[in-house]
Amino acid sequence: MGENARVAADFKVFKADYQELVDEISELLGVPATLENRDFELIAFGAYDSEDELDPSALDPVRTRSILTRRSTATVRAWFEGFGITRATAPVRIPPSPEAGVYRGRICLPVRHRGVVLGYVWLLDGDPGPTDAQLTAAMRVADRIGALLADEAEAGAGLSRELRAVLTADRGWQRDMAVADLRTALGPRADGPHALVCVAPWPAADPDDVPAPRTVPHATALCTLPWGAAGLSLAVLVRLRTPDTTAPAVAAATRLLKEAEESRGTRARGAGARAAAAVAARPGAAAGLAARATGHAAGIGEPGAGLAELGTMWQQAFDAARAALAEPRLGPVAEWARIGAYRLLTALPPETARDRVVGSLLSPAHAELARTAEIYLDCAGQAGRTASELGIHRQTLYYRLSRVEQLTGLDLDDGEDRLLLHMALKRARL
């Protein structure tokens, strides 16, 4: 309990301390400084009143984007890392490169702790620029920043463990104890309404590799949980202003989906594009499976007051993410309250996915027929709407529907048969 209380107290001071230390470096060197973590996400910006701030060249595209969007692109990151900053233990001078959007030279102060790089302090270089004595003094401040980043990482890891314990514990005393520990770790942030967000699949090789809460808007704790046979999902606990608005949860989900997409890299994006093209060429019930393999989605459970119902909220967020991956029109961010029939379909056991009556229709060979049947049922059996949606003649539609009836033995004029077929087609996407 004492350790959890210390974690809660630590989070209150991290942001202010970073700003004070960055301002100290700015004053020490007489130039504005910025602090980014090792993933090039902005932590603090020290605005120093100097002629540099009046110089338009100081606001080159790279620096402007970092300040305004609080992150740099993968291309910019790779370019700067090419100067060896990830291995450096002393200041690194980087020359200007207008073609890369870097109009002014930079000085990078690597922020390390116990030999591990945790971030970077960036300074605009000039003529003559900071002296060696000034840079040595600035590196001592950078060392203090490194210790603070390490403390924050440790605190974040503690919250991650507590949240994971709650979401994986069995109902009863085990979950009650886990909730009590999480409440203590969060301190005052445990009070009031919360929502849980599920981002899936989460592209991390290490289950403990989660973003720092301060980098995700409105997030108080994050952890990874299993997704499918070998993948991971990211659980995000978001504190809401009121139980009636999920806007903070949507903002957190949107931010993390962007990060998930960017982290796939050029090669993965190329593979995703090829898979998407294959799906477009062969639409049908299998489309949901292909989308799940190449894309990301987020689900948001219904808000709850306090932490007692986190288990239920997580299941809702998890199922909403499944629905968004299966049905693109629901995503990329799907709220449990708005996924309609999928609230029931996601609760069905896996063995119901291939009902014996419609199993043959779900084979790849009949994907076009499956898609036709699903759209026909989505359109409430209205032939005109269905033909228009599919871009086919009515006679073609009637022929396909007769083939569906032959394959399944179902009568599409019978309400119960329609219900069975509609459920089976939707369930297959999950």
Side-chain angles (χ1 to χ4, degrees), residues 3 11 65 88 94 132 136 139 171 175 191-192 233 245 291 300 309 329 378 390 402 413 426 428:
E3 177 63 19
F11 270 106
R65 187 185 193 280
I94 299 174
D132 290 343
T136 298
M139 282 299 295
R171 284 189 175 274
R175 180 173 292 177
D191 299 329
S233 61
T245 176
I300 302 174
E309 296 303 317
R329 66 179 175 80
D378 287 344
L390 291 169
S402 68
D413 289 329
K426 295 296 186 184

Side-chain angles (χ1 to χ4, degrees), residues 117-143:
V117 64
L118 300 177
Y120 309 99
V121 174
W122 296 98
L123 312 164
L124 291 175
D125 203 358
D127 186 12
T131 66
D132 290 343
Q134 286 177 308
L135 289 176
T136 298
M139 282 299 295
R140 286 196 289 268
V141 182
D143 289 341

Side-chain angles (χ1 to χ4, degrees), residues 367-393:
E368 187 176 60
L369 291 179
R371 178 170 179 261
T372 298
E374 185 174 359
I375 292 178
Y376 174 70
L377 296 169
D378 287 344
C379 292
Q382 297 180 28
R385 283 179 57 197
T386 307
S388 176
E389 182 80 15
L390 291 169
I392 60 176
H393 194 275

Side-chain angles (χ1 to χ4, degrees), residues 111-319:
V111 177
R112 308 178 75 89
H113 183 73
R114 294 181 178 174
V116 178
V117 64
L118 300 177
Y120 309 99
V121 174
W122 296 98
L123 312 164
L124 291 175
D125 203 358
D127 186 12
T131 66
D132 290 343
Q134 286 177 308
L135 289 176
T136 298
M139 282 299 295
R140 286 196 289 268
V141 182
D143 289 341
R144 289 156 56 196
I145 295 175
L148 196 64
L149 283 170
D151 285 345
E152 184 190 6
E154 182 182 350
L159 280 178
S160 181
R161 287 192 298 269
E162 302 293 1
L163 180 59
R164 185 183 292 115
V166 171
L167 300 184
T168 57
D170 295 329
R171 284 189 175 274
W173 67 269
Q174 193 177 37
R175 180 173 292 177
D176 291 343
M177 288 184 62
V179 168
D181 287 344
L182 177 61
R183 181 178 289 110
T184 302
L186 289 172
R189 292 173 300 159
D191 299 329
H194 288 82
L196 268 173
V197 175
C198 172
V199 181
W202 182 247
D206 185 349
D208 294 324
D209 184 13
V210 298
R214 60 168 165 71
T215 67
V216 181
H218 313 291
T220 56
L222 305 91
C223 73
T224 56
L225 290 168
W227 177 266
L232 294 172
S233 61
L234 183 68
V236 189
L237 182 63
V238 176
R239 189 177 181 184
L240 306 178
R241 290 184 290 272
T242 70
D244 302 324
T245 176
T246 57
V250 173
T254 302
R255 164 72 174 79
L256 288 163
L257 282 175
K258 182 179 180 181
E259 181 172 326
E261 290 292 338
E262 290 178 351
S263 70
R264 287 196 295 169
T266 303
R267 186 171 63 86
R269 284 195 295 272
R274 290 191 295 273
V279 171
R282 183 171 52 83
L289 298 176
R292 184 166 70 240
T294 60
H296 304 273
I300 302 174
E302 288 193 314
L307 307 177
E309 296 303 317
L310 286 184
T312 300
M313 293 159 61
W314 170 246
Q315 188 62 55
Q316 293 173 349
F318 186 92
D319 288 342

Side-chain angles (χ1 to χ4, degrees), residues 41-57:
E41 295 169 329
L42 186 67
I43 298 174
F45 168 62
Y48 181 78
D49 186 13
S50 72
E51 293 182 0
D52 279 328
E53 290 301 285
L54 303 177
D55 182 358
S57 68

Side-chain angles (χ1 to χ4, degrees), residues 34-79:
T34 57
L35 170 63
E36 296 178 336
N37 66 15
R38 62 186 168 196
D39 294 322
F40 283 60
E41 295 169 329
L42 186 67
I43 298 174
F45 168 62
Y48 181 78
D49 186 13
S50 72
E51 293 182 0
D52 279 328
E53 290 301 285
L54 303 177
D55 182 358
S57 68
L59 295 175
D60 61 38
V62 169
R63 186 163 182 254
T64 301
R65 187 185 193 280
S66 175
I67 293 172
L68 294 181
T69 68
R70 305 193 70 82
R71 63 188 297 130
S72 295
T73 65
T75 302
V76 168
R77 174 178 176 174
W79 189 81

Side-chain angles (χ1 to χ4, degrees), residues 15 48 73 97 203 269 297 305 331 355 357 408 416 430:
K15 185 174 182 180
Y48 181 78
T73 65
S97 177
R269 284 195 295 272
D355 184 88
V357 174
T408 63
E416 289 192 4
L430 295 170

